Amino acid sequence: YMGFVYSDFIVDTTYRPDIDLSPMPPYLDPFSAAGTSLASLTLPLSVKSKFIDQCRHKPQGVGMRFHFGDFEVMLTENELNEEIMRKAEMSFTNVAVAQLLEARPNKVSAIRNYDVQHLMGRANRIKCLRISPDERRIVTCSHDDHLLVMYELATGRELLRFDGHDDIIMGMCFAPDGKALCSVSRDETLRIWDTSTAKQGRTLEHVSMVICCDYSPDGQYIVTGSQDKLCRVWTPKGMEVATHAEHEGLIIWVAFAPDGMSVVSGSADRTLRVWEAMTARTRFVLRGHTGVILSACYSPDNQRIVSNDDQTVKVWNARDGKCLMTLGLNNIPSRLSAKCVEAQEPPLKYLLSTYSPSSHLITSINNTVVMVLDPNTGAEELALYFKGSVYCCSCVGRTMAFGDNNGNIYLVTLKMSTDAYCLPP
């Protein structure tokens, strides 16, 4: 059995529309103490009894715990009389690089230098941010916001506010031409906005909380992922084109392929699925992660997919689903991992992974470090140190934007060498 805590809500991944999941006090963390009995938790009786009733009939499992941003995920045991939520001992193992990336020659420029700019941040953790396609604006959303704020990238000056959601925003993305922006929320909607006026356009209604979204490269379609385990492809006018219903857990991440033909979706069921955008037919399933999929992204050349749970980053062949490289926590250089030990912080975890437009791998670790990696070997090329752990990232052109858990926003501009090397075939 798996359950999520999204901010102050318990989310049952065995989707039951008849179950009323009432709000929990925002200060309560039911997963924090080892050996906590359900009876001792300050939960409404209705939530407590329904939660117990659902859990009693689940298959027996091993106690495991994952944490990422707004939610914690746990696998509970069958006996729930006393200690249904306990802290698990996490054992982080490393899997070495299996082989070199199998891809057609792809030019990757070497990083010559970089600049870091600190924009004025927000009061709470940055949940999501996106750079506009023209690299002139950035839109951000903090942890508990119902609205989006657009800033001028060069000056940090606030330009617009997009206000209309009735609950916390979970994700957003720009249309490829930058003229529209879509956002998804716990209010069970996707809303489309005019980026020049902040005027709200169409609202696409869902039947459960919407967690993630992405525009197709041509701007003709939008894909969404929801709490009800479904991925849906829409037109911007609100027509539902296709529905992918093969995941067994809620959808954490969706991304169109650069050619617009396929979608990769990552789920709480610990798998990724690559499926045809127009028919929702599964092409292949990517298995191997041991935890909830936290992010997934295609490489700019459409040849690879990078994904991560909290313990590993994996690179896959986008044509056949073969795993090409796995980076475990032991791949993190000792000078970076030592920082976590010295500060007596929790064990290291991966928070996100993506590709830069230059095809470098980007990974974030929960000790305030972002690593820029060689896409072929996974070797470190650059380590960026921030004031807090980075939970969101946006890359356009040579500009990368990062948002941390202290509300800071950073702009990193990579200066690339004119020389380039090719990934080996």
Side-chain angles (χ1 to χ4, degrees), residues 145-202:
D145 266 353
H146 294 203
L147 57 85
L148 304 167
V149 182
M150 177 183 287
Y151 300 94
E152 188 176 44
L153 209 56
T155 65
R157 179 173 61 93
E158 182 177 322
L159 299 176
L160 294 169
R161 293 195 168 208
F162 303 80
D163 192 359
H165 279 292
D166 299 322
D167 208 331
I168 292 173
I169 293 172
M170 302 300 295
M172 61 177 167
C173 62
F174 270 100
D177 61 6
K179 296 180 179 179
L181 176 78
C182 68
S183 57
V184 294
S185 167
R186 290 199 319 201
D187 65 9
E188 303 182 357
T189 67
L190 177 145
R191 297 172 191 251
I192 301 176
W193 311 84
D194 185 319
T195 57
S196 61
T197 63
K199 182 179 179 181
Q200 182 179 319
R202 292 185 181 273

Side-chain angles (χ1 to χ4, degrees), residues 169-414:
I169 293 172
M170 302 300 295
M172 61 177 167
C173 62
F174 270 100
D177 61 6
K179 296 180 179 179
L181 176 78
C182 68
S183 57
V184 294
S185 167
R186 290 199 319 201
D187 65 9
E188 303 182 357
T189 67
L190 177 145
R191 297 172 191 251
I192 301 176
W193 311 84
D194 185 319
T195 57
S196 61
T197 63
K199 182 179 179 181
Q200 182 179 319
R202 292 185 181 273
T203 298
L204 308 186
E205 299 285 347
H206 292 63
V207 297
S208 63
M209 175 172 62
V210 194
I211 300 171
C212 48
C213 61
D214 191 30
Y215 260 101
S216 63
D218 61 5
Q220 299 300 307
Y221 302 98
I222 303 168
V223 61
T224 60
S226 306
Q227 174 191 349
D228 58 8
K229 311 177 191 177
L230 299 180
C231 302
R232 298 174 174 88
V233 178
W234 308 79
T235 67
K237 293 184 177 181
M239 183 177 72
E240 188 172 339
V241 177
T243 302
H244 183 77
E246 297 186 21
H247 277 293
E248 298 177 0
L250 58 83
I251 312 302
I252 305 295
W253 206 270
V254 289
F256 269 100
D259 63 6
M261 301 300 292
S262 300
V263 173
V264 60
S265 52
S267 169
D269 64 13
R270 308 181 189 182
T271 69
L272 298 104
R273 292 177 179 268
V274 176
W275 43 279
E276 296 175 357
M278 294 297 97
T279 66
R281 184 181 68 86
T282 298
R283 293 181 54 204
F284 43 81
V285 182
L286 309 181
R287 305 182 189 276
H289 280 291
T290 58
V292 172
I293 308 301
L294 302 179
S295 61
C297 177
Y298 275 90
S299 62
D301 64 359
N302 205 31
Q303 297 297 310
R304 300 169 301 283
I305 296 169
V306 64
S307 62
N308 74 284
D309 56 31
D310 62 358
Q311 300 180 57
T312 58
V313 173
K314 289 181 176 288
V315 176
W316 314 82
N317 187 317
R319 292 172 291 176
D320 58 17
K322 183 179 180 181
C323 185
L324 303 174
M325 180 167 61
T326 299
L327 301 175
L329 291 167
N330 288 346
N331 287 96
I332 300 172
S334 58
R335 75 177 196 284
L336 302 182
S337 58
K339 182 179 183 295
C340 206
V341 176
E342 292 169 2
Q344 296 183 338
E345 294 176 350
L348 288 178
K349 296 179 182 180
Y350 287 113
L351 301 179
L352 64 83
S353 61
T354 188
Y355 277 103
S356 72
S358 62
S359 293
H360 289 89
L361 280 173
I362 310 293
T363 64
S364 170
I365 316 166
N366 66 328
N367 66 346
T368 77
V369 176
V370 170
M371 298 176 63
V372 181
L373 307 176
D374 184 286
N376 181 40
T377 65
E380 176 197 345
E381 293 203 1
L382 181 64
L384 302 169
Y385 298 83
F386 298 118
K387 296 180 180 179
S389 296
V390 169
Y391 283 87
C392 55
C393 170
S394 178
C395 301
V396 177
R398 293 184 178 180
T399 303
M400 302 185 296
F402 300 96
D404 71 15
N405 61 344
N406 294 324
N408 298 300
I409 301 171
Y410 311 90
L411 297 179
V412 179
T413 304
L414 297 179

